[in-house]
PDB file of all heavy atoms in Angstrom:
ATOM      1  N   ARG A  25      -4.005  39.615 -14.946  1.00 98.00           N
ATOM      2  CA  ARG A  25      -4.541  40.443 -16.055  1.00 98.00           C
ATOM      3  C   ARG A  25      -4.722  41.921 -15.525  1.00 98.00           C
ATOM      4  O   ARG A  25      -5.563  42.090 -14.699  1.00 98.00           O
ATOM      5  CB  ARG A  25      -5.877  40.000 -16.697  1.00 98.00           C
ATOM      6  CG  ARG A  25      -5.678  38.843 -17.446  1.00 98.00           C
ATOM      7  CD  ARG A  25      -5.855  39.059 -19.049  1.00 98.00           C
ATOM      8  NE  ARG A  25      -6.020  37.812 -19.740  1.00 98.00           N
ATOM      9  CZ  ARG A  25      -5.135  37.412 -20.673  1.00 98.00           C
ATOM     10  NH1 ARG A  25      -4.140  38.123 -21.013  1.00 98.00           N
ATOM     11  NH2 ARG A  25      -5.338  36.242 -21.250  1.00 98.00           N
ATOM     12  N   TYR A  50      -7.956  40.893 -12.807  1.00 98.00           N
ATOM     13  CA  TYR A  50      -8.227  39.587 -12.268  1.00 98.00           C
ATOM     14  C   TYR A  50      -6.908  38.760 -12.319  1.00 98.00           C
ATOM     15  O   TYR A  50      -5.969  39.079 -12.942  1.00 98.00           O
ATOM     16  CB  TYR A  50      -9.295  38.828 -13.029  1.00 98.00           C
ATOM     17  CG  TYR A  50      -9.250  38.529 -14.447  1.00 98.00           C
ATOM     18  CD1 TYR A  50      -8.763  37.382 -15.029  1.00 98.00           C
ATOM     19  CD2 TYR A  50      -9.626  39.580 -15.315  1.00 98.00           C
ATOM     20  CE1 TYR A  50      -8.732  37.167 -16.349  1.00 98.00           C
ATOM     21  CE2 TYR A  50      -9.603  39.383 -16.719  1.00 98.00           C
ATOM     22  CZ  TYR A  50      -9.149  38.128 -17.235  1.00 98.00           C
ATOM     23  OH  TYR A  50      -9.175  37.933 -18.569  1.00 98.00           O
ATOM     24  N   VAL A  52      -5.670  34.544 -11.970  1.00 98.00           N
ATOM     25  CA  VAL A  52      -6.050  33.131 -12.193  1.00 98.00           C
ATOM     26  C   VAL A  52      -4.992  32.190 -11.643  1.00 98.00           C
ATOM     27  O   VAL A  52      -3.711  32.352 -11.855  1.00 98.00           O
ATOM     28  CB  VAL A  52      -6.314  32.697 -13.562  1.00 98.00           C
ATOM     29  CG1 VAL A  52      -6.965  31.315 -13.725  1.00 98.00           C
ATOM     30  CG2 VAL A  52      -7.262  33.758 -14.281  1.00 98.00           C
ATOM     31  N   GLY A  69      -8.983  25.660 -12.448  1.00 98.00           N
ATOM     32  CA  GLY A  69      -8.498  27.062 -12.110  1.00 98.00           C
ATOM     33  C   GLY A  69      -9.416  27.801 -11.230  1.00 98.00           C
ATOM     34  O   GLY A  69     -10.603  27.466 -11.131  1.00 98.00           O
ATOM     35  N   ILE A  70      -8.872  28.797 -10.528  1.00 98.00           N
ATOM     36  CA  ILE A  70      -9.653  29.638  -9.674  1.00 98.00           C
ATOM     37  C   ILE A  70      -9.330  31.125 -10.042  1.00 98.00           C
ATOM     38  O   ILE A  70      -8.175  31.441 -10.166  1.00 98.00           O
ATOM     39  CB  ILE A  70      -9.364  29.418  -8.221  1.00 98.00           C
ATOM     40  CG1 ILE A  70      -9.602  27.981  -7.826  1.00 98.00           C
ATOM     41  CG2 ILE A  70     -10.141  30.330  -7.286  1.00 98.00           C
ATOM     42  CD1 ILE A  70      -9.367  27.765  -6.369  1.00 98.00           C
ATOM     43  N   THR A  71     -10.436  31.847 -10.377  1.00 98.00           N
ATOM     44  CA  THR A  71     -10.253  33.218 -10.870  1.00 98.00           C
ATOM     45  C   THR A  71     -10.664  34.122  -9.702  1.00 98.00           C
ATOM     46  O   THR A  71     -11.852  33.815  -9.182  1.00 98.00           O
ATOM     47  CB  THR A  71     -11.022  33.430 -12.092  1.00 98.00           C
ATOM     48  OG1 THR A  71     -10.633  32.616 -13.114  1.00 98.00           O
ATOM     49  CG2 THR A  71     -10.902  34.840 -12.588  1.00 98.00           C
ATOM     50  N   THR A  85     -13.843  39.433 -17.324  1.00 98.00           N
ATOM     51  CA  THR A  85     -12.709  38.603 -17.914  1.00 98.00           C
ATOM     52  C   THR A  85     -12.785  38.861 -19.419  1.00 98.00           C
ATOM     53  O   THR A  85     -13.833  39.288 -19.952  1.00 98.00           O
ATOM     54  CB  THR A  85     -12.907  37.123 -17.619  1.00 98.00           C
ATOM     55  OG1 THR A  85     -14.131  36.634 -18.057  1.00 98.00           O
ATOM     56  CG2 THR A  85     -12.771  36.850 -16.122  1.00 98.00           C
ATOM     57  N   LYS A  86     -11.681  38.547 -20.038  1.00 98.00           N
ATOM     58  CA  LYS A  86     -11.620  38.705 -21.534  1.00 98.00           C
ATOM     59  C   LYS A  86     -12.792  37.970 -22.266  1.00 98.00           C
ATOM     60  O   LYS A  86     -13.408  38.444 -23.130  1.00 98.00           O
ATOM     61  CB  LYS A  86     -10.281  38.111 -22.055  1.00 98.00           C
ATOM     62  CG  LYS A  86      -9.248  39.126 -22.249  1.00 98.00           C
ATOM     63  CD  LYS A  86      -8.035  38.423 -22.903  1.00 98.00           C
ATOM     64  CE  LYS A  86      -7.727  39.098 -24.217  1.00 98.00           C
ATOM     65  NZ  LYS A  86      -6.419  38.911 -24.738  1.00 98.00           N
ATOM     66  N   GLY A  87     -12.891  36.792 -21.823  1.00 98.00           N
ATOM     67  CA  GLY A  87     -13.969  35.827 -22.433  1.00 98.00           C
ATOM     68  C   GLY A  87     -13.412  35.130 -23.565  1.00 98.00           C
ATOM     69  O   GLY A  87     -12.490  35.680 -24.362  1.00 98.00           O
ATOM     70  N   HIS A  88     -13.900  33.836 -23.807  1.00 98.00           N
ATOM     71  CA  HIS A  88     -13.430  33.162 -24.968  1.00 98.00           C
ATOM     72  C   HIS A  88     -14.385  31.996 -25.285  1.00 98.00           C
ATOM     73  O   HIS A  88     -15.238  31.608 -24.536  1.00 98.00           O
ATOM     74  CB  HIS A  88     -12.053  32.424 -24.541  1.00 98.00           C
ATOM     75  CG  HIS A  88     -12.153  31.645 -23.311  1.00 98.00           C
ATOM     76  ND1 HIS A  88     -11.931  32.146 -21.960  1.00 98.00           N
ATOM     77  CD2 HIS A  88     -12.403  30.298 -23.025  1.00 98.00           C
ATOM     78  CE1 HIS A  88     -12.157  31.202 -21.150  1.00 98.00           C
ATOM     79  NE2 HIS A  88     -12.386  30.070 -21.732  1.00 98.00           N
ATOM     80  N   HIS A  90     -13.855  27.988 -26.759  1.00 98.00           N
ATOM     81  CA  HIS A  90     -12.787  27.053 -26.658  1.00 98.00           C
ATOM     82  C   HIS A  90     -12.224  26.740 -28.147  1.00 98.00           C
ATOM     83  O   HIS A  90     -13.042  26.668 -29.042  1.00 98.00           O
ATOM     84  CB  HIS A  90     -13.248  25.666 -26.029  1.00 98.00           C
ATOM     85  CG  HIS A  90     -13.362  25.884 -24.588  1.00 98.00           C
ATOM     86  ND1 HIS A  90     -14.295  25.141 -23.808  1.00 98.00           N
ATOM     87  CD2 HIS A  90     -12.870  26.779 -23.679  1.00 98.00           C
ATOM     88  CE1 HIS A  90     -14.270  25.595 -22.503  1.00 98.00           C
ATOM     89  NE2 HIS A  90     -13.388  26.654 -22.365  1.00 98.00           N
ATOM     90  N   GLU A  97     -17.436  22.990 -20.065  1.00 98.00           N
ATOM     91  CA  GLU A  97     -16.680  23.435 -18.970  1.00 98.00           C
ATOM     92  C   GLU A  97     -17.690  23.622 -17.714  1.00 98.00           C
ATOM     93  O   GLU A  97     -18.795  23.981 -18.039  1.00 98.00           O
ATOM     94  CB  GLU A  97     -15.899  24.809 -19.234  1.00 98.00           C
ATOM     95  CG  GLU A  97     -15.142  25.439 -18.087  1.00 98.00           C
ATOM     96  CD  GLU A  97     -14.125  26.380 -18.564  1.00 98.00           C
ATOM     97  OE1 GLU A  97     -14.176  26.760 -19.778  1.00 98.00           O
ATOM     98  OE2 GLU A  97     -13.340  26.862 -17.686  1.00 98.00           O
ATOM     99  N   TYR A  99     -18.252  25.896 -14.306  1.00 99.00           N
ATOM    100  CA  TYR A  99     -17.731  27.031 -13.367  1.00 99.00           C
ATOM    101  C   TYR A  99     -18.598  26.865 -12.096  1.00 99.00           C
ATOM    102  O   TYR A  99     -19.713  26.382 -12.133  1.00 99.00           O
ATOM    103  CB  TYR A  99     -18.125  28.374 -13.975  1.00 99.00           C
ATOM    104  CG  TYR A  99     -17.096  29.026 -14.968  1.00 99.00           C
ATOM    105  CD1 TYR A  99     -16.142  28.306 -15.526  1.00 99.00           C
ATOM    106  CD2 TYR A  99     -17.343  30.395 -15.279  1.00 99.00           C
ATOM    107  CE1 TYR A  99     -15.290  28.870 -16.511  1.00 99.00           C
ATOM    108  CE2 TYR A  99     -16.369  30.969 -16.131  1.00 99.00           C
ATOM    109  CZ  TYR A  99     -15.448  30.346 -16.783  1.00 99.00           C
ATOM    110  OH  TYR A  99     -14.597  30.911 -17.616  1.00 99.00           O
ATOM    111  N   ILE A 130     -21.281  25.009 -18.714  1.00 99.00           N
ATOM    112  CA  ILE A 130     -21.066  25.852 -19.916  1.00 99.00           C
ATOM    113  C   ILE A 130     -20.970  24.824 -21.047  1.00 99.00           C
ATOM    114  O   ILE A 130     -19.871  24.105 -21.270  1.00 99.00           O
ATOM    115  CB  ILE A 130     -19.861  26.710 -19.907  1.00 99.00           C
ATOM    116  CG1 ILE A 130     -19.943  27.572 -18.630  1.00 99.00           C
ATOM    117  CG2 ILE A 130     -19.630  27.429 -21.206  1.00 99.00           C
ATOM    118  CD1 ILE A 130     -18.687  28.313 -18.273  1.00 99.00           C
ATOM    119  N   HIS A 136     -17.770  32.292 -23.008  1.00 98.00           N
ATOM    120  CA  HIS A 136     -18.043  32.591 -21.661  1.00 98.00           C
ATOM    121  C   HIS A 136     -17.147  33.715 -21.010  1.00 98.00           C
ATOM    122  O   HIS A 136     -15.960  33.697 -21.405  1.00 98.00           O
ATOM    123  CB  HIS A 136     -17.970  31.281 -20.736  1.00 98.00           C
ATOM    124  CG  HIS A 136     -16.971  30.322 -21.094  1.00 98.00           C
ATOM    125  ND1 HIS A 136     -16.936  29.711 -22.256  1.00 98.00           N
ATOM    126  CD2 HIS A 136     -15.810  30.041 -20.532  1.00 98.00           C
ATOM    127  CE1 HIS A 136     -15.828  28.800 -22.368  1.00 98.00           C
ATOM    128  NE2 HIS A 136     -15.113  29.167 -21.277  1.00 98.00           N
ATOM    129  N   ARG A 137     -17.726  34.458 -20.343  1.00 98.00           N
ATOM    130  CA  ARG A 137     -17.010  35.567 -19.678  1.00 98.00           C
ATOM    131  C   ARG A 137     -17.696  35.948 -18.423  1.00 98.00           C
ATOM    132  O   ARG A 137     -18.950  35.616 -18.235  1.00 98.00           O
ATOM    133  CB  ARG A 137     -17.049  36.823 -20.619  1.00 98.00           C
ATOM    134  CG  ARG A 137     -17.729  38.020 -20.127  1.00 98.00           C
ATOM    135  CD  ARG A 137     -17.565  39.296 -21.046  1.00 98.00           C
ATOM    136  NE  ARG A 137     -16.363  39.477 -21.697  1.00 98.00           N
ATOM    137  CZ  ARG A 137     -16.276  40.229 -22.871  1.00 98.00           C
ATOM    138  NH1 ARG A 137     -17.356  40.815 -23.283  1.00 98.00           N
ATOM    139  NH2 ARG A 137     -15.164  40.291 -23.566  1.00 98.00           N
ATOM    140  N   VAL A 138     -17.046  36.465 -17.375  1.00 98.00           N
ATOM    141  CA  VAL A 138     -17.600  36.720 -16.048  1.00 98.00           C
ATOM    142  C   VAL A 138     -17.428  38.175 -15.647  1.00 98.00           C
ATOM    143  O   VAL A 138     -16.399  38.804 -15.938  1.00 98.00           O
ATOM    144  CB  VAL A 138     -16.921  35.808 -15.007  1.00 98.00           C
ATOM    145  CG1 VAL A 138     -17.344  36.254 -13.632  1.00 98.00           C
ATOM    146  CG2 VAL A 138     -17.332  34.326 -15.276  1.00 98.00           C
ATOM    147  N   PHE A 148     -14.420  32.604  -8.406  1.00 98.00           N
ATOM    148  CA  PHE A 148     -15.126  31.437  -9.016  1.00 98.00           C
ATOM    149  C   PHE A 148     -14.076  30.443  -9.439  1.00 98.00           C
ATOM    150  O   PHE A 148     -12.898  30.807  -9.777  1.00 98.00           O
ATOM    151  CB  PHE A 148     -16.050  31.909 -10.109  1.00 98.00           C
ATOM    152  CG  PHE A 148     -15.449  32.423 -11.301  1.00 98.00           C
ATOM    153  CD1 PHE A 148     -15.021  31.595 -12.364  1.00 98.00           C
ATOM    154  CD2 PHE A 148     -15.047  33.750 -11.390  1.00 98.00           C
ATOM    155  CE1 PHE A 148     -14.400  32.129 -13.544  1.00 98.00           C
ATOM    156  CE2 PHE A 148     -14.352  34.249 -12.547  1.00 98.00           C
ATOM    157  CZ  PHE A 148     -14.080  33.408 -13.566  1.00 98.00           C
ATOM    158  N   ALA A 150     -13.134  26.817 -11.982  1.00 98.00           N
ATOM    159  CA  ALA A 150     -13.613  26.315 -13.265  1.00 98.00           C
ATOM    160  C   ALA A 150     -12.823  24.948 -13.382  1.00 98.00           C
ATOM    161  O   ALA A 150     -11.657  24.753 -12.870  1.00 98.00           O
ATOM    162  CB  ALA A 150     -13.070  27.226 -14.377  1.00 98.00           C
ATOM    163  N   TRP A 152     -12.127  22.283 -16.729  1.00 98.00           N
ATOM    164  CA  TRP A 152     -12.266  22.135 -18.284  1.00 98.00           C
ATOM    165  C   TRP A 152     -11.363  21.025 -18.823  1.00 98.00           C
ATOM    166  O   TRP A 152     -10.388  20.776 -18.227  1.00 98.00           O
ATOM    167  CB  TRP A 152     -12.096  23.463 -18.930  1.00 98.00           C
ATOM    168  CG  TRP A 152     -10.669  24.054 -18.863  1.00 98.00           C
ATOM    169  CD1 TRP A 152      -9.744  24.030 -19.925  1.00 98.00           C
ATOM    170  CD2 TRP A 152     -10.119  24.809 -17.794  1.00 98.00           C
ATOM    171  NE1 TRP A 152      -8.662  24.716 -19.507  1.00 98.00           N
ATOM    172  CE2 TRP A 152      -8.788  25.161 -18.266  1.00 98.00           C
ATOM    173  CE3 TRP A 152     -10.439  25.198 -16.471  1.00 98.00           C
ATOM    174  CZ2 TRP A 152      -7.877  25.843 -17.511  1.00 98.00           C
ATOM    175  CZ3 TRP A 152      -9.587  25.839 -15.722  1.00 98.00           C
ATOM    176  CH2 TRP A 152      -8.304  26.264 -16.254  1.00 98.00           C
ATOM    177  N   HIS A 158      -7.974  27.861 -25.567  1.00 98.00           N
ATOM    178  CA  HIS A 158      -8.715  29.097 -25.459  1.00 98.00           C
ATOM    179  C   HIS A 158      -8.603  29.940 -26.802  1.00 98.00           C
ATOM    180  O   HIS A 158      -7.565  30.063 -27.230  1.00 98.00           O
ATOM    181  CB  HIS A 158      -8.090  29.909 -24.370  1.00 98.00           C
ATOM    182  CG  HIS A 158      -8.200  29.465 -22.915  1.00 98.00           C
ATOM    183  ND1 HIS A 158      -7.384  28.439 -22.500  1.00 98.00           N
ATOM    184  CD2 HIS A 158      -9.116  29.755 -21.945  1.00 98.00           C
ATOM    185  CE1 HIS A 158      -7.781  28.165 -21.227  1.00 98.00           C
ATOM    186  NE2 HIS A 158      -8.829  28.960 -20.878  1.00 98.00           N
ATOM    187  N   TYR A 160      -9.363  33.164 -27.955  1.00 98.00           N
ATOM    188  CA  TYR A 160      -9.634  34.610 -27.533  1.00 98.00           C
ATOM    189  C   TYR A 160      -9.883  35.491 -28.868  1.00 98.00           C
ATOM    190  O   TYR A 160     -10.535  36.524 -28.780  1.00 98.00           O
ATOM    191  CB  TYR A 160      -8.455  35.194 -26.780  1.00 98.00           C
ATOM    192  CG  TYR A 160      -8.322  34.644 -25.407  1.00 98.00           C
ATOM    193  CD1 TYR A 160      -7.279  33.719 -25.175  1.00 98.00           C
ATOM    194  CD2 TYR A 160      -9.174  34.840 -24.354  1.00 98.00           C
ATOM    195  CE1 TYR A 160      -7.073  33.129 -23.965  1.00 98.00           C
ATOM    196  CE2 TYR A 160      -8.996  34.324 -23.148  1.00 98.00           C
ATOM    197  CZ  TYR A 160      -8.005  33.456 -22.892  1.00 98.00           C
ATOM    198  OH  TYR A 160      -7.824  32.851 -21.693  1.00 98.00           O
TER     199      TYR A 160
HETATM  200  O1  LIG B 201     -11.080  28.172 -18.203  1.00 78.73           O
HETATM  201  C1  LIG B 201     -11.688  29.219 -18.029  1.00 78.73           C
HETATM  202  O2  LIG B 201     -12.675  29.370 -18.716  1.00 78.73           O
HETATM  203  C2  LIG B 201     -11.334  30.117 -16.881  1.00 78.73           C
HETATM  204  O3  LIG B 201     -10.361  29.555 -16.055  1.00 78.73           O
HETATM  205  C3  LIG B 201     -10.864  31.445 -17.449  1.00 78.73           C
HETATM  206  O4  LIG B 201      -9.716  31.214 -18.361  1.00 78.73           O
HETATM  207  C4  LIG B 201     -10.562  32.466 -16.421  1.00 78.73           C
HETATM  208  O5  LIG B 201     -11.657  32.870 -15.704  1.00 78.73           O
HETATM  209  C5  LIG B 201     -10.089  33.814 -17.112  1.00 78.73           C
HETATM  210  O6  LIG B 201     -10.925  34.248 -18.118  1.00 78.73           O
HETATM  211  P1  LIG B 201     -10.307  34.449 -19.641  1.00 78.73           P
HETATM  212  O7  LIG B 201      -9.554  33.172 -20.007  1.00 78.73           O
HETATM  213  O8  LIG B 201     -11.468  34.638 -20.476  1.00 78.73           O
HETATM  214  O9  LIG B 201      -9.334  35.614 -19.589  1.00 78.73           O
END
Side-chain angles (χ1 to χ4, degrees):
R25 287 250 191 240
Y50 58 99
V52 186
I70 300 180
T71 301
T85 59
K86 261 186 120 162
H88 57 271
H90 290 152
E97 181 162 5
Y99 274 16
I130 303 165
H136 38 288
R137 120 173 327 158
V138 171
F148 64 94
W152 67 101
H158 293 82
Y160 292 107

